[in-house]
Amino acid sequence: MEHKKIINIAVIAHVDAGKSTLVDALLQQSGVFHENAQIVDLIMDSDALEKERGITIYAKNCAINYKDYKINIVDTPGHADFSSEIERIIKTVDTVILLVDSSEGPMPQTRFVLQKSLELGLRPILLINKIDKKDQRAAEVVNEALELFMNLGATDEQLDFPVLYGIAKQGIVQKELTDQGENLIPLFETIINHVTPYPDLTSEPLRMQVSSLAFDEYIGRLGIGRLFAGTISEGQEVTIAKNDGQLAKGKITGVFVYEGLKRIKKQTAVAGDIVIIAGISDISIGDTICDKNNVVAMEPITIEEPTLAMNFLVNKSPFAGKEGKFVTTRNIKERLEKELEVNVGLRVQPLSDSSVDGFRVSGRGELHLSILLENLRREGFELAVSKPEVLLRRDDVNVLLEPMEEVIITVPDEYSGTVIGKLNLRKGTMLNMDMVGTHTKITYSIPTRGLIGYQREFINATHGEGILVRKFSGYEQYKGEIPSRGNGVLIANELGTTAAYALGALEERGSLFVTPGTKVYEGMIVGIHSRSNDLVVNPCKNKKLTNTRSAGNDDAIRLSPPIIMNLEESLEFIENDELVEITPLNIRLRKKWLNASERKQYEKQEQTPVE
């Protein structure tokens, strides 16, 4: 079989640096689409949540041809919570295109993805994107990137990286900042000149490692990964070296490769290509597909451990089962087991308390878990979830450790003092502060605990003008107690429908989450109290009607717009004695104990000192 020149590349960057936009341009300029094809923006972000949020959540593959080369492209997530996607994909590529914003420079997540690439010995290509920005500082950003390479221990060969400049949105890349770019040819040429195509290992025994999974309703579970050696064919009998060391027999029933965005069926695939295989129903990430007579397992794919956990509980509110299709423990268990097959950064355990129906689910961050919950909600699931908790650990000398994050904040100068004060209260330590024009750029090291519930407060404190980016940085000694939410909540005292008359009176006590005509139940949270204590209220009370009429008494009630919180904001807002009730139609906040007397009993137990 004739050997093909195959190069696999990954596009890596911080969130919103332009990765998916660059992949769009690469696909368009390589002739993947027909002349009359209707092309949408962010082609690779095919998931509904990815399109809505404008972020890449799942790593995805495509392939283009340039001259006599086949270039497989992996579009990776930029958000720290989905770094497990990057960790396993990076082993399948020959180089990475490191995309850096010409204004922002290297961000926390840039450091993470670059470190993984350098550890594997890859030689990156640096592309300074968005050079059309008015505040671009491309020359400084190149120096900052070089400094980052050196800090991460890059070799002399890795430090000799090519630098390109571009505007991904316009499909332009140029070799010098002063050039007049027209297309992506400088990038294509740099890739084929900088990277040696995968060597011809087709005569060696089969060796392929599965780096991601997919599912097809017709052919079942699919394993996706790089074919490191040999060839793989439809009908071939193989041995699977599992991640846990066990061996299993299998037969390949289908072989596919990428051409453009499509999955193309092949009789045989060759070494170097990214291949999709069918026929092995229990294939898992990290498994090695080997020749049946020559089993050589590859090094297991290790994923960093989760840092955050929450309880997924069966919904037992008075409205349970009225809006969702899947509401039982069995439904939730089956769906979480299915998610574990493809979401390698996730951990699921049954709750240790046998009296509570649910599971403890651990992930890499609030966004990682909230994306899962949002998908469950859209699929028709109904459940309740607890406040996110950080996962603590102990070191060799039994010192309690907690996860820490590096946070880079850019805010207008007038809000910097407020932000610094709040982060200090949350046990943060300032690492650096720079003045950039009319803005202040602050770098903090802060416990993950300190950032739970801070996002909304940050947006309010900076009037929506601040930018906060964060990255897990490791474990440090436990920093002590962190102040919780300052305000109490307004709690409904009965089952019913809210009335404008009652809500008008409650506005004096705080800010509301509900509008007139909203169905509520006892123990449901209907607003934020203006004071620190919780307050039980009746939002369903109607005005008593009389025959007496007087001027001014019956004016229309004008209510302020309610606070509408999305799923992430709801998870950040709740305290330990509260839950978020999630259904396909609504997101509600509630107390764990709906009855007032049960809540008092719980409070007494909490206040009782442990001897």
Side-chain angles (χ1 to χ4, degrees):
M1 183 176 292
E2 185 183 348
H3 178 62
K4 297 165 74 174
K5 293 181 180 177
I6 298 173
I7 297 174
N8 294 352
I9 64 170
V11 184
I12 61 172
H14 183 78
V15 66
D16 202 31
K19 298 181 302 300
S20 298
T21 307
L22 178 64
V23 175
D24 283 1
L26 287 166
L27 286 165
Q28 289 170 22
Q29 293 191 28
S30 62
V32 165
F33 302 109
H34 296 299
E35 193 175 322
N36 299 323
Q38 190 172 7
I39 301 167
V40 296
D41 290 338
L42 305 179
I43 304 159
M44 295 289 281
D45 288 347
S46 53
D47 183 77
L49 279 176
E50 291 180 318
K51 288 185 182 296
E52 285 176 24
R53 295 168 183 244
I55 60 172
T56 302
I57 297 171
Y58 309 105
K60 289 175 286 294
N61 303 75
C62 64
I64 59 176
N65 291 293
Y66 180 73
K67 295 184 176 178
D68 55 344
Y69 289 82
K70 179 182 181 182
I71 303 174
N72 286 307
I73 304 171
V74 183
D75 184 21
T76 61
H79 200 286
D81 284 16
F82 307 110
S83 50
S84 57
E85 292 278 322
I86 300 164
E87 290 176 71
R88 55 194 168 88
I89 290 297
I90 215 81
K91 289 183 74 173
T92 69
V93 301
D94 301 303
T95 192
V96 292
I97 299 173
L98 177 64
L99 217 60
V100 181
D101 188 291
S102 67
S103 170
E104 294 177 347
M107 300 295 272
Q109 183 65 2
T110 314
R111 183 185 186 93
F112 174 85
V113 292
L114 179 60
Q115 183 176 6
K116 293 294 175 186
S117 307
L118 296 176
E119 285 172 0
L120 289 169
L122 301 179
R123 295 172 57 220
I125 296 167
L126 177 64
L127 174 54
I128 308 299
N129 192 28
K130 303 183 183 180
I131 57 171
D132 56 333
K133 276 187 169 183
K134 289 181 181 177
D135 58 345
Q136 70 90 0
R137 48 185 193 91
E140 292 175 48
V141 169
V142 172
N143 291 331
E144 289 173 7
L146 178 61
E147 191 176 326
L148 179 60
F149 272 72
M150 291 189 289
N151 290 341
L152 294 175
T155 63
D156 291 344
E157 193 179 28
Q158 289 172 328
L159 285 170
D160 186 23
F161 53 84
V163 181
L164 299 169
Y165 306 88
I167 310 169
K169 202 165 188 177
Q170 297 177 23
I172 292 172
V173 168
Q174 53 204 50
K175 291 193 173 182
E176 299 293 338
L177 198 55
T178 53
D179 290 350
Q180 192 64 44
E182 296 178 0
N183 49 40
L184 295 179
I185 287 177
L187 177 57
F188 285 122
E189 289 294 328
T190 301
I191 292 170
I192 64 174
N193 292 330
H194 180 68
V195 185
T196 304
Y198 199 78
D200 184 2
L201 302 179
T202 51
S203 59
E204 293 193 5
L206 164 65
R207 196 168 73 252
M208 169 188 169
Q209 188 168 41
V210 176
S211 57
S212 59
L213 300 171
F215 185 82
D216 186 289
E217 58 185 26
Y218 298 108
I219 55 179
R221 199 166 178 184
L222 304 171
I224 305 169
R226 183 168 214 172
L227 186 53
F228 286 92
T231 60
I232 192 164
S233 304
E234 186 177 333
Q236 185 174 349
E237 292 183 355
V238 296
T239 297
I240 302 102
K242 309 292 284 183
N243 240 2
D244 58 7
Q246 296 183 21
L247 300 180
K249 299 291 183 184
K251 184 177 181 180
I252 306 301
T253 60
V255 175
F256 307 83
V257 298
Y258 289 100
E259 288 185 14
L261 292 166
K262 295 178 181 176
R263 210 167 59 202
I264 304 297
K265 189 173 178 62
K266 291 278 186 180
Q267 185 61 40
T268 302
V270 298
D273 216 344
I274 290 179
V275 181
I276 306 105
I277 58 164
I280 304 169
S281 59
D282 60 345
I283 194 76
S284 295
I285 287 167
D287 290 354
T288 309
I289 312 297
C290 305
D291 185 280
K292 65 177 182 178
N293 299 318
N294 194 324
V295 179
V296 181
M298 296 185 67
E299 187 179 332
I301 295 176
T302 55
I303 305 295
E304 288 188 14
E305 291 298 308
T307 58
L308 209 64
M310 60 176 71
N311 296 336
F312 285 30
L313 310 168
V314 172
N315 184 22
K316 292 187 177 178
S317 84
F319 296 162
K322 293 184 177 180
E323 298 172 0
K325 290 189 293 183
F326 308 108
V327 298
T328 65
T329 310
R330 181 177 59 82
N331 292 146
I332 297 170
K333 180 175 184 286
E334 288 174 355
R335 179 60 180 83
L336 290 175
E337 286 174 348
K338 182 182 175 184
E339 185 69 23
L340 282 172
E341 293 178 355
V342 293
N343 195 337
V344 293
L346 205 67
R347 302 285 184 275
V348 177
Q349 298 170 304
L351 288 175
S352 54
D353 186 352
S354 58
S355 64
V356 182
D357 295 330
F359 303 89
R360 187 164 180 80
V361 181
S362 310
R364 292 296 292 268
E366 287 167 273
L367 185 60
H368 184 202
L369 293 173
S370 68
I371 290 290
L372 170 59
L373 286 167
E374 183 63 33
N375 280 325
L376 292 180
R377 187 170 84 88
R378 294 181 182 207
E379 291 166 19
F381 282 82
E382 192 175 294
L383 67 162
V385 294
S386 66
K387 179 183 175 69
E389 301 172 35
V390 298
L391 297 173
L392 306 176
R393 60 169 66 167
R394 293 188 179 273
D395 63 9
D396 297 338
V397 292
N398 207 34
V399 173
L400 189 63
L401 306 176
E402 68 173 323
M404 299 291 292
E405 303 207 18
E406 180 187 335
V407 178
I408 294 181
I409 291 172
T410 306
V411 293
D413 294 340
E414 61 265 34
Y415 306 132
S416 60
T418 306
V419 171
I420 289 168
K422 290 291 184 183
L423 292 178
N424 288 342
L425 282 175
R426 291 169 175 265
K427 307 293 183 183
T429 304
M430 188 188 292
L431 303 178
N432 190 37
M433 185 166 77
D434 291 314
M435 310 302 288
V436 184
T438 59
H439 285 63
T440 304
K441 187 175 181 180
I442 315 162
T443 306
Y444 257 84
S445 174
I446 186 169
T448 301
R449 286 182 302 133
L451 291 173
I452 295 175
Y454 180 62
Q455 187 71 35
R456 188 178 185 85
E457 194 177 317
F458 174 75
I459 291 169
N460 291 335
T462 62
H463 295 247
E465 295 184 51
I467 299 171
L468 183 151
V469 290
R470 50 195 279 192
K471 169 194 163 289
F472 171 69
S473 59
Y475 278 81
E476 291 183 14
Q477 189 168 344
Y478 186 74
K479 304 297 181 183
E481 288 301 312
I482 293 175
S484 60
R485 185 182 69 205
N487 295 78
V489 291
L490 303 176
I491 308 165
N493 69 348
E494 65 174 39
L495 180 70
T497 303
T498 56
Y501 174 75
L503 297 182
L506 290 179
E507 281 200 330
E508 299 174 8
R509 302 300 188 105
S511 304
L512 299 174
F513 296 153
V514 294
T515 56
T518 303
K519 291 181 179 179
V520 298
Y521 52 80
E522 182 184 8
M524 181 172 156
I525 296 170
V526 296
I528 306 173
H529 193 197
S530 55
R531 299 188 179 183
S532 59
N533 62 304
D534 292 345
L535 185 67
V536 177
V537 298
N538 184 359
C540 306
K541 184 179 179 182
N542 270 307
K543 183 178 181 181
K544 290 181 180 178
L545 299 177
T546 69
N547 289 329
T548 308
R549 295 288 181 268
S550 61
N553 280 358
D554 298 305
D555 288 346
I557 296 169
R558 290 183 175 86
L559 298 173
S560 302
I563 296 172
I564 306 295
M565 289 200 285
N566 62 26
L567 184 53
E568 283 95 353
E569 290 169 337
S570 300
L571 293 172
E572 286 188 339
F573 178 80
I574 59 172
E575 289 294 350
N576 292 327
D577 65 335
E578 295 164 359
L579 299 172
V580 179
E581 178 186 347
I582 300 167
T583 77
L585 302 180
N586 289 290
I587 295 171
R588 302 182 183 96
L589 306 183
R590 51 161 286 190
K591 287 291 183 178
K592 274 185 186 176
W593 293 270
L594 299 179
N595 185 273
S597 59
E598 289 178 342
R599 289 197 296 274
K600 285 180 182 176
Q601 190 176 349
Y602 165 76
E603 287 168 10
K604 283 180 183 177
Q605 290 174 354
E606 288 289 295
Q607 291 166 5
T608 304
V610 179
E611 295 181 2

